[in-house]
Amino acid sequence: MSKLVIRGGKPLCGTVSVQGSKNAVLPILAASILCTKGVTVIHNCPDLDDVTITVKILRFLGARVKRDGHTITVDARSKIKHRIPKRLMQKLRSSIIFMGAITARNHRAKISAPGGCKLGARPIDLHKDALRALACDITEKRGYIYVNGKNRRSSEITLRFPSVGATENILLTSCMTGGVTVLHNAACEPEIVDLANFLNAMGASITGAGTPDITVTGVPELHGTVYTVMPDRIVAITYLCCAAVTGGNIYLSNTVPDHLETALSYLAQCGCLVEAEDSRIHLSAPKRLTALAEIETSPYPGFPTDAQSLFLALLSTAKGTSIICERIFESRFKTADELSRMGADIKIKKDIATIYGKERLSGAQVSACDLRGGAAMVIAALAAEGTTEIDNVCYIDRGYEALEKNLQALGASVKRI
């Protein structure tokens, strides 16, 4: 199994282009099986393990898939299977999105519970309840979920929590369901807007995406289209944190600054000069960052839970004491234990982390606990004295394309062994 070996202490300087969004491309790929007239051509698809697994699922279902660099072409005009085996479902969390897509295409689905990073309780009750609200019959037996959507119909649905995945499943299921479905308390994340835009480009009728109230008017069929996936906002935040913690000076290209407003505001409060224009962001960091009084994770447009681990590492070397409150996932502070191996002083009490900033961290042997936790260890390693070895790099590879090569181009001492 490979490791990342990082020798810290070098300020990052230069320009890096942000990859396509992992959290946007996966539901878009799932939605491609709804196209029964023509093919879909999807640009800016990142080269990630999760994308590879999703392509395997599409091929298992019967779609013809061609990958050419960052472009994926999907031909789903042939018969599509209604089931996904457990061995594929459990390789990634986003596989649950296929529940809605397969039901919309075949009026039935058979899937197992999804896999993904272990971040505490991540129930799929919201997904199942959403489809039940569309008059789908759902049963569970021997580890599989069976969906019967033959009698599904439009409905008015209010989510008890603005779940991104549940919102996506409702869009996928209802876009080809007769009548008008109205969704209240929908997730507002940019990835929801990207999925809705993709579906609309295929002929769907969805309005209100990006707001808490979405209206879907069902259509009988969808057609092929050409679409470009949005940039990855969490990857963008990761590179900004890498530069900030090292006192660096970097430019990001191929990004959407409006998607990063909360994180950019916190970086500015830490003492960074942050300038954003069009699809470009410039960050210039001081030699040492200033602590933040408090960060609280919340659904978009609030501070993203996916960036919590990144700021946990960032603030470990900031001057002063910072507090982070995790309101989304119950086990997202596991990264604190690994950071402590590098000398970080972090105290955890339930869902609150208190970070007492150290002037410097020390290189150590650490592990990636999950995708964003792995990225957090990279951030800490770049700021640390000495050499850090990070194992379980497979987690990092699920969400970051060519991470070490991009960091090398910015002047970091990083190698994979």
Side-chain angles (χ1 to χ4, degrees):
M1 186 175 291
S2 60
K3 294 183 179 181
L4 286 181
V5 180
I6 300 175
R7 184 159 52 86
K10 293 188 175 183
L12 301 191
C13 298
T15 300
V16 63
S17 178
V18 177
Q19 68 190 53
S21 169
K22 176 184 84 77
N23 290 336
V25 72
L26 301 183
I28 284 173
L29 287 172
S32 68
I33 68 169
L34 301 180
C35 173
T36 55
K37 294 182 64 177
V39 300
T40 55
V41 180
I42 307 166
H43 298 302
N44 202 33
C45 299
D47 184 11
L48 304 172
D49 288 351
D50 277 14
V51 174
T52 298
I53 295 166
T54 304
V55 167
K56 288 181 179 179
I57 291 175
L58 289 172
R59 287 173 173 158
F60 175 86
L61 290 172
R64 296 178 181 177
V65 186
K66 178 184 177 182
R67 295 184 74 170
D68 183 9
H70 292 115
T71 296
I72 297 178
T73 302
V74 182
D75 183 348
R77 289 175 291 182
S78 300
K79 182 178 180 180
I80 295 296
K81 296 185 181 76
H82 75 281
R83 64 181 181 87
I84 302 175
K86 188 177 295 186
R87 62 181 173 82
L88 290 175
M89 281 293 299
Q90 294 187 339
K91 288 186 176 181
L92 74 161
R93 175 71 182 178
S94 294
S95 59
I96 191 63
I97 300 304
F98 278 96
M99 181 167 68
I102 295 174
T103 300
R105 174 68 186 261
N106 287 333
H107 310 295
R108 60 175 178 154
K110 176 187 175 183
I111 62 170
S112 71
C117 293
K118 294 177 175 60
L119 301 174
R122 305 177 78 183
I124 59 173
D125 292 352
L126 286 170
H127 300 258
K128 294 183 289 187
D129 290 347
L131 266 64
R132 287 190 177 108
L134 293 167
C136 294
D137 181 57
I138 299 178
T139 57
E140 298 182 55
K141 185 178 181 181
R142 295 179 180 176
Y144 277 91
I145 302 167
Y146 295 80
V147 183
N148 183 342
K150 291 181 180 179
N151 297 316
R152 73 184 191 276
R153 59 179 181 272
S154 59
S155 179
E156 185 165 355
I157 306 169
T158 300
L159 291 176
R160 61 180 183 272
F161 178 83
S163 161
V164 173
T167 299
E168 291 168 342
N169 258 323
I170 291 170
L171 296 186
L172 291 168
T173 309
S174 62
C175 69
M176 293 174 64
T177 298
V180 178
T181 294
V182 180
L183 173 60
H184 302 295
N185 199 30
C188 300
E189 274 75 359
E191 294 80 7
I192 297 294
V193 178
D194 219 31
L195 175 61
N197 288 344
F198 175 70
L199 289 168
N200 284 339
M202 290 199 297
S205 178
I206 302 171
T207 59
T211 76
D213 300 296
I214 300 177
T215 300
V216 184
T217 303
V219 299
E221 61 183 4
L222 299 179
H223 56 70
T225 190
V226 178
Y227 192 80
T228 300
V229 175
M230 62 174 273
D232 195 308
R233 60 194 176 104
I234 305 302
V235 168
I237 294 171
T238 301
Y239 285 122
L240 291 171
C241 287
C242 288
V245 81
T246 61
N249 186 356
I250 71 166
Y251 292 86
L252 295 186
S253 61
N254 186 38
T255 189
V256 183
D258 287 349
H259 293 172
L260 312 174
E261 282 188 358
T262 307
L264 294 180
S265 173
Y266 282 134
L267 287 168
Q269 291 176 48
C270 284
C272 297
L273 170 66
V274 182
E275 301 171 305
E277 183 178 2
D278 298 327
S279 62
R280 190 174 172 88
I281 297 173
H282 171 228
L283 180 141
S284 178
K287 289 186 177 180
R288 189 179 182 192
L289 300 173
T290 301
L292 295 173
E294 183 174 301
I295 297 176
E296 182 172 319
T297 64
S298 62
Y300 188 87
F303 184 75
T305 183
D306 278 356
Q308 180 259 98
S309 296
L310 312 180
F311 271 72
L312 195 67
L314 176 88
L315 296 171
S316 293
T317 61
K319 185 177 181 180
T321 301
S322 305
I323 293 175
I324 298 179
C325 304
E326 174 56 57
R327 304 303 191 196
I328 308 297
F329 291 122
E330 65 182 23
S331 296
R332 201 133 209 186
F333 284 136
K334 290 187 295 185
T335 304
D337 291 335
E338 295 302 308
L339 289 170
S340 68
R341 296 175 186 272
M342 303 177 68
D345 188 357
I346 303 172
K347 301 293 186 293
I348 307 296
K349 186 176 181 180
K350 295 184 179 179
D351 58 357
I352 297 175
T354 304
I355 306 106
Y356 304 93
K358 292 290 193 69
E359 188 169 349
R360 59 182 59 86
L361 301 178
S362 301
Q365 292 189 350
V366 296
S367 295
C369 303
D370 52 62
L371 168 55
R372 305 307 173 186
M377 301 317 301
V378 171
I379 293 168
L382 291 169
E385 286 186 339
T387 300
T388 299
E389 292 187 6
I390 306 172
D391 61 19
N392 284 343
V393 178
C394 56
Y395 282 117
I396 298 173
D397 291 340
R398 289 186 49 232
Y400 294 87
E401 178 180 348
L403 178 63
E404 66 268 26
K405 292 181 181 179
N406 287 330
L407 291 175
Q408 288 166 1
L410 294 173
S413 175
V414 184
K415 63 180 179 179
R416 183 182 291 249
I417 60 173

